[in-house]
Amino acid sequence: MKRSTRFVRLCHVAALILFFCMMGILALGALELTAVNVPTDNSMSQHVILIKDELFKGIVMTAALGLAVMAVHFLAERLGGIRFSAVLGVLWIAAALVFIWAAGLRPSKYADSGTMLYASSLFARGDYSMLQTHDYFDMYAYQLGFCLPLEILARLFPHARLNMLCQYVNVFLGAAIMGMTAALTQALYGDRRTTTASVLLYILFLVPMFFCVFVYGALPMILFCMCGFFFFVRYVQTKENKFGFLYAVCIAAGLVVKPNTAVPAAALVICSVLYAIQTKKMKPVLFSGLSIALGVCCLQAIIGFYEMRAGVSLREDVSMASRFVMGMQDSEIAAGWYNGYTAVIFRADWTEEEAKAHVMADMAERFRWMRENPGQALQFYREKVFTQWLEPGCDMMWMNAISEKSGRFNGLMYSIFRDRTPMSVALYNYLNLFQQMLYVLTIVGGIGAWKHRGDVTMLILPVTVIGGILYHLLFEAKAQYAYPYMVYMLPLAAQGLSIVEEAMRKTGKKILKKQ
């Protein structure tokens, strides 16, 4: 075996061991604990607590849900497989459109989503006062990358309610993500049953439908990342430059609409470097470099475009150091969640050097506390990880509960999301069981990546998930931040479902032969 191939296989094994360890912690935690997102009267209107579940009951119920999903998958295959999945996709679009119409959610104008919607509607009318008198875009200038498509929509449909229009657009973005999930699954595994399973899991997840009410850069980011993953896989499989270029463009677009794309982008850079080592060709690395350079340049161009139109010069964004310190601190919501620290540092009447000195002092103080209280520090990060990754609604149940509603069926929406009714309890329990099943199946799906050690395409999703867990372990935690990685897990989970089904089929044949 060549030295380069041996090195790539070694990296593959190391990454998968880390992936199995991390996912094992999440899966075991999900069977024993549930993070409950509670609307409260604190300044964040939110508090997340961990509730202990019955482990044995969780295992039994998760297994029962898995068997039910296998039965539905078997039925879907009998009814046409991929074609039937397309029909389910159309029904999902119809259901999501009805849900948005019925709910009519309006985000708070103080939340990021509400601020960007309001600003974009002003931009469409030639009013740039939000850039001139408000410091939101000084702190988060990168949000202008998402404001641009919002402004375009507002200009194209000047008489529409921008919030509702974007929610309807989100439905089609969600459907496109479903399609790209299927395409990526087929490209990775080449098995139509597994592809059907990926669509089925996406639909049964339910959170993707609820996420359509959230007007933010998350859905475009997920779509661009899934496209980037797909085109990278096709580039490795075909060696055609057009796929490498498309991969670079998609990741760049993701970086423009939401900087969290940096995690999948970094995962693809790692896979590109390994592939370059394996093939002794630099072109994969050049495409990955192009994706980042293009994304950064386009975002800066958009920010400069808005600065020119408004006649202002925006200050530098909130520093990553202050974000890191905030991720080390307690919050009214939960450990490591948003607590306003970055805004306080940014708005303080300090020079840049003074602000940096305060951040470094706070960081040193927090590290000192952790050294002196290792047990409490471990408990802090346990709470931080589990409140983010074990919240089955990914913030969407909470968001639907607190948002103002203007739809036709407000009473029904309140009974589903806000009030403690049998319907809301049943929904939350289902989402909890699905999340547990998703984590377990993702681990099983990782076996496929283990069997194909040396194939860099099998590393894309595990490395992306590792990056997401590590990034939000260090920086701000939020349940909604975990959602994109759960979508990235779906092809792995679909492969895991196929592996379990095949194992059960072989076991059944052996039993029948003995009889």
Side-chain angles (χ1 to χ4, degrees), residues 6 62 67 88 114 141 149 161 163 180 217 219 270 284 319 324 332 386 395 408 434 451 466 484:
R6 192 182 303 116
T62 302
L67 290 173
L88 291 178
R161 287 168 51 193
N163 170 44
M180 287 310 304
L219 290 184
I270 292 170
S319 70
F324 177 69
E332 291 180 298
F386 285 162
D395 275 342
R408 301 297 180 88
F434 186 91
K451 289 181 177 178
I466 291 170

Side-chain angles (χ1 to χ4, degrees), residues 10 97 155 171 180 203 206 222 291 293 315-316 331 339 368 417 464 475:
L10 180 63
L97 291 172
R155 288 181 179 275
V171 172
M180 287 310 304
I203 293 172
L206 293 188
I222 296 170
S291 68
R315 292 167 59 190
E316 190 174 346
S331 164
N339 65 4
R368 183 196 62 77
F417 297 109
T464 300
F475 297 96

